[in-house]
């Protein structure tokens, strides 16, 4: 995972999951593991990861903008993604770096597709434009029943605009994530996020080791 061999493309690993699934906890565990081994890994997030992306994130998640149309939300997410791909992801991967990204395109299929009901063909067209074919080498999907995730999330600070959605929205999000994982089992590693954090971390590291083999 170092960039001592810039001629070798890096790897893109994404973390996905619903609210309260434990992505932040897993990310912290992965960071500690990699830093402990002296590995050069770039960490970023969606929406965000660039000045433009972070501004879009603040806009999209602000509860004051509760009337944002589903299509507007989708376009904003892909605008942030297009900037991240060009400014951060492609340069890092070309330099041979490994990148760990908190959410990527699968989130749009889950949240704007499953949750909001936008047709997958529309999302795919935006994906083609925004990512220019860039796909994760590995996607770690933290899967957790909605009720359990909501209980965890309720212990955090005030809910953002998307976290404030109802349970049926998140049931559709979870179903969309699981459907994508079933359709691409070679890319997805589905992890039972109801297990202790240490077990979740072990499962994630085992999947990442498979990329290095």
């Amino acid at each position: 995972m170092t960039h001592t061999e810039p001629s070798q493309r890096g790897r893109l690993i994404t973390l996905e999951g619903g609210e309260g699934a434990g992505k932040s906890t897993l990310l912290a565990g992965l960071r500690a593991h990699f830093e402990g081994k002296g590995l050069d890994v770039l960490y970023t997030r969606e929406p965000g990861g660039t000045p433009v992306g972070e501004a879009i994130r603040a806009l999209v998640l602000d509860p004051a903008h509760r009337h944002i149309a589903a299509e507007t939300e989708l376009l904003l997410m892909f605008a942030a993604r297009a900037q991240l791909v060009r400014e951060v992801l492609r340069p890092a991967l070309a330099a041979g770096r490994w990148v760990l990204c908190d959410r990527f395109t699968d989130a749009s299929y889950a949240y704007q597709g499953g949750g909001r009901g936008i047709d997958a063909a529309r999302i795919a067209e935006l994906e083609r434009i925004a990512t220019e074919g860039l796909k994760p080498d590995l996607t770690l999907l933290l899967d957790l029943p909605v009720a359990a995730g909501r209980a965890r999330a309720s212990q955090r600070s005030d809910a953002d605009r998307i976290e404030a959605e109802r349970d049926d929205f998140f049931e559709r999000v979870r179903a969309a994530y699981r459907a994508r994982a079933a359709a691409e089992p070679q890319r997805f590693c589905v992890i039972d996020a109801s297990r202790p954090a240490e077990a979740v971390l072990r499962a994630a590291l085992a999947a990442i080791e498979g990329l290095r083999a």
Side-chain angles (χ1 to χ4, degrees):
M1 292 187 194
T2 66
H3 53 252
T4 55
E5 300 178 6
S7 61
Q8 183 176 357
R9 178 187 173 279
R11 296 288 185 271
L12 174 59
I13 302 168
T14 57
L15 272 60
E16 299 283 358
E19 308 308 314
K23 290 189 295 87
S24 296
T25 300
L26 175 57
L27 185 60
L30 290 171
R31 184 191 290 264
H33 175 83
F34 295 143
E35 289 179 352
K37 291 185 173 294
L39 299 174
D40 178 31
V41 180
L42 174 64
Y43 304 90
T44 189
R45 69 176 182 175
E46 277 212 334
T50 67
V52 168
E54 291 296 329
I56 292 173
R57 181 187 185 91
L59 174 66
V60 168
L61 298 184
D62 188 341
H65 302 310
R66 62 184 183 277
H67 297 306
I68 289 178
E71 292 79 8
T72 304
E73 181 180 278
L74 177 69
L75 290 166
L76 287 169
M77 292 294 191
F78 272 104
R81 184 166 295 133
Q83 189 67 25
L84 183 69
V85 166
R86 287 154 181 79
E87 186 175 338
V88 176
L89 299 184
R90 284 204 178 280
L93 295 170
R97 297 187 72 185
W98 285 50
V99 180
L100 189 58
C101 189
D102 184 351
R103 300 199 189 283
F104 195 55
T105 309
D106 293 301
S108 286
Y109 285 97
Y111 280 80
Q112 286 77 54
R116 304 287 187 213
I118 296 177
D119 187 82
R122 287 188 171 187
I123 300 174
E125 179 63 14
L126 291 174
E127 178 182 14
R128 183 187 65 79
I129 296 168
T131 70
E132 297 180 320
L134 179 62
K135 285 186 174 291
D137 297 284
L138 171 66
T139 297
L140 303 171
L141 174 58
L142 300 184
D143 183 56
L144 185 69
V146 169
R150 299 283 270 174
R152 287 181 182 177
S154 68
Q155 301 173 14
R156 303 197 297 246
S157 58
D158 293 341
D160 63 37
R161 191 181 65 84
I162 293 179
E163 289 171 343
E165 288 290 343
R166 299 183 310 181
D167 285 0
D168 59 340
F169 173 87
F170 292 108
E171 292 288 0
R172 296 192 299 272
V173 168
R174 185 189 185 202
Y177 267 135
R178 290 164 67 94
R180 287 187 68 75
E184 296 186 62
Q186 72 284 358
R187 174 167 69 87
F188 276 85
C189 172
V190 181
I191 300 174
D192 179 358
S194 67
R195 292 187 294 171
E198 296 80 6
V200 171
L201 177 59
R202 285 196 299 271
L205 288 172
I208 293 169
E209 284 299 318
L211 276 184
R212 301 178 66 194

